[in-house]
């Protein structure tokens, strides 16, 4: 049998009697490998036969090598030998050996070339690793030498310190007159380390002079070992305590510089350095209307003492917490070299309204039309005819007492028109003025059968003040006594000239009842809106005006807002007057919930913290902090104005005189609750007009919403009456009012409310006393009658004299007594009256100084009740 070794890991067996088989050349086994600390591990080992390439001798398996598979180290391969020529076939073997083909020969050559490249790479890596190790050892050697040099320098420094200290001790002892008998050498201050036998280094040098070398196993370079640094002997503890004569003269006690002395020296050095002039910092100081001295000093980065010193030079004594005005603060800041920027509390409102919109992205908006006119001239009926609604039926007494906002779609153009309905009653002047401020066009409704009335004139004045165009709607032309020409003529008296009479004001004859010419009225409104060219930017933050506000029990504060600029959306932070909030819901005039409201759209806004006042301007702000700043400033201003109006002895001399006049007048205390702010405003204005110098209505509390138990408690404390306008008291308040005897009056019509309060206030007026002359009598003789007193015999010269009437005794045209008659007799009988020309006897009550020739004047006093 002849075996030939293939390039693989297996051996080819050829036998004349057996088939060809592949027998593995590697045998595997397992051994247990031991580690430190008693740990062992089971590893797999292989037993390989030697591989022979070329040669006449066949490759046979010899003693193999055994090594762990997992822990076998890479061994550099020897350079591949040149492939030998194929061996000649053995004679008489019966087997012909296969020679290598050209592909196999080229594959074997490439494998040998790759092995050579790998061997070269491994050699280069080994050389780089050896160079790195040598450089690392050089760095370590340099570090050791540097550490040794530092150690020697430290020892030299300690030696010099000890020498200096010893000299100081000797100088101190010499100064205090002591001989240096126990002076120790400087070397005794620090104990020397114990001697140790010197070891001889490998090169023959002493170990103390050269570092000891430790040889590495395997003949590697020696690694020097640095001797450990001897530990310094701790110095004796410093003696502390006060410096006395005994301690100063003591030779054993060596005192050193104390910590306090060192601190004092440091402070002196710092103080000396602080005397150097510092660079002056010029700041821009923001000065409000009032500021404390401390805050002003902080803003200027100056000392408050310097500010107070400057104020003292001006003759003013102040503390650091005192408040000074802006002018004084500016004077001080400028004198110290700073620049001043004056600000006011009202600056928080800057940029809130009327910001110039530079955007060119504008679009047309709906016109805002306000309907104005006298009461009962058909304003609400005309709007109902345009809206196909019935608002009139919901108003108490058939008159409008609330301001309303609606949107109407024009049937011809399909565009929307916003209408604002205002009351016509004389008390709602503020509502009409509010409607004129937010409108683009005013429709003046005049009844054809009634003509121009006082509130019509007032509406004309409001429209002229707002500088908006007017459209005259002559209503009720369906009535038999309608005279439209009379209306046009009366308007001329107030400088309103309609087109039919050669003027520029448009007039339309309409009938709200028969819906006559309503389309023509809408056409005139659309034409006027086109002439005005109303455009705005709808993408900017919203601005608007609060038309009406109320407190709803289920929804909280609700404000009717007319958006004038921008778009109001749910979630916006809004400010109106002294109230703020976040928009929770928007409700249209039809009662539908909407997500946003654009320009000229009236909506009800829910989300205010409290009901704003009617007429307040609404704005959207960027965050809640800005909203709180604005509302707090406005609330502060509101409180100050209220305090200034109610405080006594303030203001001008005229106000002081009016305060003195009204000091003794009677007050009629009232608590008024209304449904909306507009109605409350009208009621307060009407009651204020009722007041006189003798009596006036005193409003203890006024607000919107139902009557609560706290209102009853307040009325009980001041003995006041409670008036509810279109509101009712809750169950608890009604029970408390009944229990405490507090009167609650409910009204739905403002006429009745004003008339009843007027009658009640009239009862507080003092009655008027009127004198009615009865007659005169002349005293002829005075008689002294026992048990009666003096009786005057008189003759009635004019009129009549009545018993019990008031009399005056006049002597030389001077009244000497006023009183009543106690006795009136005609002869011997008591009579009730005596006619002119008759004689009678008279006696006065509690008065007897009567003389002949005196004149008795008899008169009657009548009491007349007054009214407002």
């Amino acid at each position: 049998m002849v075996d030939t070794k293939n390039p693989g890991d297996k051996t080819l067996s050829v036998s004349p009697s057996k088939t060809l088989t592949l027998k593995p050349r590697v045998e595997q086994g397992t051994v247990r490998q031991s580690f430190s600390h008693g740990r062992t591990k089971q590893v797999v080992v292989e037993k390989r036969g030697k591989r022979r390439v070329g040669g006449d001798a066949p490759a046979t398996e010899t003693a193999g090598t055994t090594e762990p598979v997992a822990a076998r180290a890479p061994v550099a391969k020897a350079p591949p030998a040149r492939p030998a020529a194929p061996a000649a076939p053995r004679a008489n073997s019966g087997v012909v050996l296969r020679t290598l083909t050209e592909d196999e020969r080229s594959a074997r050559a490439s494998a040998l070339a790759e092995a050579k490249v790998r061997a070269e790479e491994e050699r280069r890596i080994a050389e780089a690793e050896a160079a790195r190790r040598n450089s690392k050892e050089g760095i370590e050697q340099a570090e050791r030498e540097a550490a040794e040099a530092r150690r020697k320098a430290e020892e030299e420094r300690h030696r010099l310190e000890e020498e200096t200290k010893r000299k100081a001790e000797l100088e101190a002892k010499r100064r205090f007159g002591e001989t240096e008998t126990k002076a120790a050498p400087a070397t005794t201050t620090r104990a020397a380390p114990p001697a140790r036998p010197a070891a001889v280094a490998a090169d023959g040098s002493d170990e103390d002079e050269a570092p000891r070398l430790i040889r590495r196993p395997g003949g590697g370079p020696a690694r020097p070992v640095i001797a450990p640094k001897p530990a310094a002997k701790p110095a004796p503890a410093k003696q502390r305590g006060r410096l006395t004569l005994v301690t100063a003269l003591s030779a054993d006690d060596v005192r050193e510089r104390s910590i306090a002395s060192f601190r004092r020296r440091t402070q002196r050095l710092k103080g000396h350095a602080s005397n150097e002039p510092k660079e002056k910092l010029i700041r821009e100081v923001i000065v409000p209307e009032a500021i404390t001295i401390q805050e002003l000093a902080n803003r200027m980065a100056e000392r408050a003492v310097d500010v107070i010193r400057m104020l003292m030079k001006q003759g003013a004594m102040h503390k650091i917490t005192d408040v000074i005005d802006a002018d004084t603060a500016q004077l001080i800041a400028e004198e110290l070299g700073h620049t001043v920027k004056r600000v006011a509390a009202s600056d928080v409102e800057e940029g809130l309204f009327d910001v110039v919109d530079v955007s060119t992205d504008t679009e047309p908006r709906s016109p805002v039309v306000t309907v104005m006119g006298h009461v009962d001239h058909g304003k609400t009926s005309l709007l109902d005819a345009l809206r196909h609604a019935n608002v009139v039926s919901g108003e108490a007494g058939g008159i409008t007492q609330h301001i309303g906002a609606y949107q109407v779609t024009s049937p011809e153009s399909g565009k929307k028109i916003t209408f604002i309905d205002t009351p016509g009653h004389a008390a709602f002047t503020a509502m009409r003025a509010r409607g004129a401020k937010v409108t683009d066009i005013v429709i003046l409704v005049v009844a054809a059968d009634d003509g121009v009335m006082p509130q019509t004139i007032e509406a004309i004045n409001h429209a002229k003040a707002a500088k908006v165009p007017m459209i005259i709607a002559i209503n009720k032309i369906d009535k038999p006594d309608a005279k439209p020409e009379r209306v046009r003529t009366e308007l001329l008296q107030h400088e309103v000239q309609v087109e039919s009479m050669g003027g520029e004001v448009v007039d339309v004859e309409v009938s709200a009842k028969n819906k006559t010419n309503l389309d023509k009225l809408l056409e005139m409104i659309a034409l006027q809106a086109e002439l005005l060219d109303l455009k705005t930017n709808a993408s900017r933050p919203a601005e608007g005006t609060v038309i009406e506000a109320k407190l709803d029990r289920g929804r909280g504060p609700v404000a009717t807002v007319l958006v004038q600029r921008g778009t109001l959306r749910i979630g916006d932070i809004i400010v109106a007057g002294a109230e703020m909030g976040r928009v929770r819901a928007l409700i249209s005039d039809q009662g539908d919930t909407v997500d946003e409201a654009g320009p000229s759209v009236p909506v009800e806004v829910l989300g205010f913290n409290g009901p704003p006042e009617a007429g307040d301007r609404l704005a959207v702000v960027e965050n809640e902090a800005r909203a709180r700043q604005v509302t707090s400033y406005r609330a502060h201003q509101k409180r100050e104005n209220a305090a200034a109006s109610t405080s006594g002895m303030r203001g001008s001399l005229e106000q002081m005189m009016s305060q003195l006049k009204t000091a003794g007048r009677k007050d009629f205390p009232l608590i008024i609750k209304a449904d909306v702010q507009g109605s409350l405003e009208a009621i307060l204005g009407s009651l204020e007009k009722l007041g006189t110098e003798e009596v006036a209505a005193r409003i203890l509390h006024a607000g919107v919403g139902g009557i609560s138990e706290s209102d009853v408690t307040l009325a009980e404390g001041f003995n006041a009456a409670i008036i509810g306008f279109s509101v009712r008291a809750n169950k608890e308040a009604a029970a408390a009012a009944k229990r405490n005897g507090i009167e609650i009056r409910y009204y739905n019509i403002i006429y009745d409310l004003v008339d009843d309060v007027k009658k009640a206030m009239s009862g507080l007026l003092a009655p008027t006393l009127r004198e009615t002359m009865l007659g005169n009598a002349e005293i002829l003789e005075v008689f002294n009658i026992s048990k009666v007193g003096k009786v005057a015999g008189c003759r009635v010269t004019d009129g009549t004299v009545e018993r019990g009437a008031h009399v005056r005794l006049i002597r030389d045209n001077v009244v000497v007594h006023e009183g009543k008659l106690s006795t009136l007799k005609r002869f011997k009988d008591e009579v009730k009256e005596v006619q002119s020309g008759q004689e009678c006897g008279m006696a006065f009550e509690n008065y007897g100084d009567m003389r002949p020739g005196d004149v008795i004047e008899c008169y009657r006093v009548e009491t007349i009740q007054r009214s407002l």
Side-chain angles (χ1 to χ4, degrees), residues 777 790-794 796 801 821 823-824 840-844 850 856:
K790 291 184 178 183
V791 176
C794 307
V796 179
V801 177
L821 288 177
T823 301
L824 180 62
C840 60
M842 295 183 189
F844 294 124
M850 296 175 289
I856 298 175

Side-chain angles (χ1 to χ4, degrees), residues 284-300 322-333 339-348 350 633 636:
E284 183 183 15
V285 183
I286 298 176
V287 179
E289 295 176 350
I291 187 172
T292 62
I293 295 176
Q294 178 70 65
E295 181 63 23
L296 178 62
N298 292 340
R299 294 185 182 185
M300 296 188 300
D322 288 349
V323 178
I324 57 178
D325 57 1
D327 294 334
T328 306
Q330 181 177 358
L331 182 64
I332 292 173
T339 59
V340 176
K341 180 181 179 182
R342 295 282 293 268
V343 296
S346 59
D347 291 345
V348 298
E350 288 186 359
Y633 165 72
H636 179 69

